[in-house]
Amino acid sequence: MTILDWIALALLLGGAGFFFAGTIGLLRFPDTLCRLHAMTKADNVGLGLLCLGLALHERTLSGTLTLAFVWVFALAASTLSAFLIAGWAEARSDTGEGS
Amino acid sequence: MTPIVFPVTAALLFAIGLYGVLTRARLIQRLLAVNLMASAIFLFLIVTSTGGPHGPDPVPQAMVLTGIVVALSTMAYALVLIRHLRVLTRAETLESIVDD
Amino acid sequence: MTEAIDGLTAGSLTALILGPLILALVAVALPRRRLIDSAVMLLALLLLALLLPLSRAVLTHGPLVMDLGGHDAPIAIPLYVDSLALGMLWLLTLLALAIHPYASAWLQRSDHPHADDYPALWLVLWTGLNSLVLSGDLFNLYVMLEVTTLGAVSLVMLGQSAGAVSAAARYLFFALVGSVLFLLGTALVYADIGLLYMPMIAVHADASPAIVVALLAITAGVAMKAALFPLHAWLPIAHASAPTPASAVLSAAVATAGVYLLLRLWLGPFAGTWTITTAQGIGVIGAAGILYGSAQALRQQRIKVIVAYSTVAQLGYLLLLVPLAQSPLAWQGAVYHAVTHGLAKAGIFLAAGNLILAIGNDRLENLSGADQFAAKNLLVIGIAGAAVAGLPPTGGFIAKWWLLSAALGQGQWWWVAVIAVGSLLAAAYVFRILQYAMRQPENRAEIDPRVRDQSLPYALLWPPALLAALALGLGFSGELLAPFLQVTDLSPALGGTGR
Amino acid sequence: MLPVFDTMLCLGLLWLGWGIVASTTLFRGVVLFMVFGLLMAVTWVRLSAPDVALAEAVIGAGIAGALLLGACKAMLSDPGTPAEQGGPEPAALPRLPAAALSLLVGAALAWLMVTVRGGGPVPEAVAIALPTHFLHNPVSVILLDLRGYDTLMETVVLLLAFLGARAMMRHSELDPLFTPVATHRHYTMPLITLLTPILLLLALHILWTGGNAPGGAFQAGALLAALGVMYQLTGHLRPSRESGPGVRALLVCGLLVFSLFACLGLTWGDAPLTYPRGAGYVSALVVEIALMLSIGTTLTLLFAAHPGLKPDLRQ
């Protein structure tokens, strides 16, 4: 294993760690907004680290580009869905329907 | 190890699904159990496709693809039927509907 | 095998499967009821015309196999036609001809909210039934079973009431488990001997554990879908709560197709796995179904439930073919029984539908005086009922006579007793309906039918009459049709043609 | 390393399977089922079946998940019959005999599934037929040509499922999964305008390469359905009580093209579904494009739980 592989491994483990923390946050945090916070942060950074690690391992242009696309799309989707869920949660708490 | 672990998993998944079909009364959960049984058979089919002397046999893979589509279609249909039944009778199990 | 297939045969087989399908697609895209109704009639007549040369081809060449897509066995999906399949095709096409115009008129007349949904659903179901009958590939049968199941469940669901929808749900869940079991059997067969092409399975299948379990799983799966006797629980409720024309389709076509499929599989690809004991066991199940169904039918108070239980009973006769399969007479009898019973049963349901239009429901006690206002429909019920019971001179008599002769010819006299008792009970439950109808009401003014025979539209009167006439007519054409019913190659019925 | 991975994968599948069957709440069962679908997709990759993996990912975790969540929400928003409120779920069958039967079946099947013989005439014949075919992805050869009839009929199952469901949707008001908030449109619009061309491109790509690489009409159609789902969730498509002529045309075009093509097989071959010599790839592509449109429309409508959809162009 070259030094690049070791860096890749570290990045992958770091990404997995972020996912783990995010999942714990999702399960443990008290309300919708906090859970969203935990999940989106963890997913965005965690996925970014995973993609970076895989790109270092793969080391081809097309592979790296594909991974970059995966990350960008996941970012866009999670940003918007988090925003919509937050809006929905706010609307619900305004009308006093839920927490 | 590998030649045994996947077929055994398929058989056990089938058994778990069968148990669910027999014991769960809530229709959506019974539906999930039926789909579990189907997935178990798909797993078995794909496992048998890998071992041949000519490389992976595409016929079981095609069968599984067809099977996945068929299972999705029947699931979609069953879900609408369950919701329709719910609207009509407010029941989510067949046991709670008294026959007339 | 394909050398016997000429252009006309290939075209007929294609039309049988794709004709109803394309028409269904047109019906979805252009929901004009008039247009679709006449197109369905034309299609049914066209297919009837095409069945004539097809029957001739089967008579001269024996069973035909058409490999789809121009590929060779065993990778192609074959369509397979023998006399058994031919009988089913005649039945289905005649039913399509009679039931569709009736259904259209009936749904319109009773202001049924699903009148627009019916044509496309029935046409797709028709495609499914034709392909189920013709398919010679085990996995393709799984797909076709799903088409028929979804179609049949939808027809039950059209009954609208909470009872009908819950019956549909019950039916669907039985059928879903049935499909999974069928799929399991298919997977085991493929994993064990690497074949799905049924004409070849019979040659390669032995009694290895995987094949035996596959046979068990497939049998249980189809039996759940076809509501064979111990697994019949959903059938009477479902058939009785569907809209009446749909009940006719379900009892006459769908249920028969299920049993047809079982016979096809048992006596075709799996013929090598039978022993005398298991064959007799299947016969016993059939006999139990005959007796149980008939006894239940005698106790019911609603016409549609009586007729539905009668279906449970009559399907049992088809199972008697398994222990008697060595005799050509038994094959003739089984095919003849399937066709006559299908036609007669549809006729009874359609006539019962007219009674429902007249008195608002189908309870026996409300039938009093029906001989005054619904004489034609009662006549249909009488004739078709006689055919179901197997009384001379109907087609049912010929069918049961052949079955009886086959049983006597092989010295299996115990089936004779079952057939005789079953016929007696059937006659009893049919005449019980007539007896209620002939009863004079205490107060003449009580007879207040909403509709009299005379005011019913023509489209509601000729289909049941046609069906009863056909069931009767089959009684006079037994000798004429017998050559078409010959199974040239008895055991295994399908496997003999394998390469 | 690989045996360890396999064992972990299988244990995960079994654990999730048990979770689905034993879960006390509906929502939990549904979520576990979606996770199970994802894990199955990983399993398919491990068993070198990438086509199946792709389909399982878009269907098992994607479309099926969306449908299940919709049904789940409908169940939870209604308190149900008095007998079912709060009380325990009535058991369909006693647990003990059911467990004994299932274990027996499982043990018998495990033995059978390990000892089946394998091989046989079909795998051999297929291995011979594959190299000379005009398509290069073995699974596509089977799905589009050798067993094209199955594909035709599987699409019939999908259409029939929708027709049956439509009959019910017309007569009982089923709630859509979400009621989108219209004021958010200026946030969702950029995403829609970004993703629409990309998803369309991706669907066409999956379709186009389907002949030679994993992919095909159903996966592409499911991607289109994802687009349809997104339009519904952001309020650009709204459920309607009737299917308009355009929707109906999209619904049937796939099967219509496929079955007419099947009939045409009689003119240039001896049997229906025969591909014309020399124009095989082109005809497969035409059929697949039509199928993709129909599959996408059908799945989108099934998600809407309504007979039709109409665009909502308000800004």
Side-chain angles (χ1 to χ4, degrees), chain B residues 7-8 11 19 29 35-36 44 63 69 79 81-83 85 87-90 95:
Chain B
V8 169
Y19 176 75
Q29 281 179 309
N35 275 277
L36 206 60
F44 168 61
M63 281 159 67
V69 176
L79 286 175
L81 185 60
I82 293 170
R83 291 174 67 177
L85 186 67
V87 172
L88 285 175
T89 66
R90 304 188 68 206
E95 280 74 7

Side-chain angles (χ1 to χ4, degrees), chain C residues 282-479:
Chain C
I282 294 294
V284 169
I285 292 177
I290 295 173
L291 299 178
Y292 171 85
S294 308
Q296 282 293 325
L298 267 177
R299 296 176 44 212
Q300 303 302 321
Q301 286 302 318
R302 288 178 48 202
I303 301 179
K304 285 176 76 175
V305 187
I306 296 177
V307 186
Y309 269 110
S310 155
T311 303
V312 174
Q314 298 298 319
L315 294 181
Y317 285 99
L318 293 176
L319 295 194
L320 295 186
L321 174 58
V322 176
L324 301 174
Q326 293 306 318
S327 146
L329 271 180
W331 284 87
Q332 288 182 22
V335 178
Y336 222 66
H337 175 74
V339 176
T340 318
H341 167 252
L343 295 172
K345 192 47 73 64
I348 298 182
F349 263 121
L350 297 192
N354 284 341
L355 289 179
I356 292 174
L357 285 181
I359 60 175
N361 59 49
D362 66 337
R363 306 198 72 84
L364 282 181
E365 68 261 23
N366 296 346
L367 272 183
S368 309
D371 56 337
Q372 312 280 320
F373 60 84
K376 285 179 198 159
N377 288 307
L378 286 176
L379 184 66
V380 166
I381 293 186
I383 294 176
V388 168
L391 303 182
T394 62
F397 173 71
I398 308 265
K400 281 177 187 161
W401 178 254
W402 280 338
L403 279 174
L404 280 175
S405 317
L408 284 174
Q410 296 184 50
Q412 302 187 29
W413 51 266
W414 46 94
W415 305 127
V416 177
V418 172
I419 294 171
V421 173
S423 291
L424 211 61
L425 288 172
Y429 59 69
V430 169
F431 289 113
R432 185 158 156 263
I433 301 178
L434 296 181
Q435 180 204 346
Y436 270 95
M438 308 266 181
R439 203 176 269 178
Q440 290 307 309
E442 288 143 30
N443 180 359
R444 279 223 153 255
E446 259 180 34
I447 309 180
D448 178 29
R450 298 190 203 166
V451 188
R452 289 177 175 273
D453 263 1
Q454 292 81 357
S455 64
L456 281 176
Y458 190 54
L460 289 177
L461 290 174
W462 72 259
L466 171 72
L467 290 167
L470 284 170
L472 182 67
L474 282 174
F476 300 100
S477 45
E479 289 308 311

Side-chain angles (χ1 to χ4, degrees), chain D residues 64-295:
Chain D
L67 293 173
L68 279 167
L69 282 177
C72 197
K73 177 175 171 263
M75 289 290 164
L76 294 177
S77 62
D78 186 321
T81 55
E84 284 167 5
Q85 283 171 30
E89 180 186 335
L93 269 186
R95 299 250 155 98
L96 210 59
L101 178 69
S102 308
L103 273 178
L104 200 69
V105 169
L109 282 183
W111 179 70
L112 274 179
M113 287 177 171
V114 174
T115 57
V116 283
R117 287 172 279 188
V122 171
E124 285 165 24
V126 167
I128 295 167
L130 282 180
T132 55
H133 201 270
F134 60 84
L135 297 173
H136 302 297
N137 177 17
V139 180
S140 297
V141 172
I142 308 288
L143 280 179
L144 285 176
D145 189 8
L146 301 185
R147 299 187 68 84
Y149 185 52
D150 275 349
T151 307
L152 176 72
M153 286 305 169
E154 129 202 343
T155 321
V156 173
V157 176
L158 182 65
L159 178 74
L160 178 57
F162 173 70
L163 291 180
R166 188 178 70 169
M168 293 183 263
M169 294 165 185
R170 276 183 178 162
H171 299 283
S172 74
E173 194 81 45
L174 302 180
D175 294 332
L177 181 51
F178 288 106
T179 30
V181 189
T183 51
H184 289 153
R185 185 159 288 202
H186 50 283
Y187 296 105
T188 55
M189 211 53 201
L191 185 81
I192 295 276
T193 42
L194 172 72
L195 281 186
T196 304
I198 292 176
L199 268 177
L200 284 178
L201 203 64
L202 202 59
L204 278 175
H205 171 78
I206 284 192
L207 186 83
W208 197 271
T209 55
N212 303 320
F218 205 89
Q219 289 94 332
L223 272 181
L224 286 191
L227 199 63
V229 167
M230 199 168 71
Y231 273 73
Q232 285 176 57
L233 291 184
T234 51
H236 292 81
L237 279 177
R238 288 188 185 276
S240 78
R241 305 282 298 156
E242 272 309 316
S243 354
V247 168
R248 295 199 305 262
L250 279 174
L251 273 176
V252 300
C253 71
L255 274 174
L256 207 57
V257 169
F258 203 169
S259 38
L260 289 178
F261 167 75
C263 292
L264 282 178
L266 283 171
T267 61
W268 50 61
D270 295 330
L273 278 164
T274 311
Y275 279 82
R277 220 170 265 282
Y281 189 77
V282 178
S283 16
L285 207 61
V286 171
V287 168
E288 287 239 290
I289 288 177
L291 279 180
M292 169 187 80
L293 291 175
S294 287
I295 291 167

Side-chain angles (χ1 to χ4, degrees), chain C residues 8 40 57 62 67 88-89 122 159 164 171 188 199 218 275 303 323 345 352-353 360 371 376 395 400 405 447 456 464:
Chain C
L8 183 62
V40 174
D67 290 327
M88 282 302 295
L89 290 176
W122 151 246
Y171 181 8
L188 282 173
I218 285 177
T275 61
I303 301 179
K345 192 47 73 64
D371 56 337
K376 285 179 198 159
K400 281 177 187 161
S405 317
I447 309 180
L456 281 176

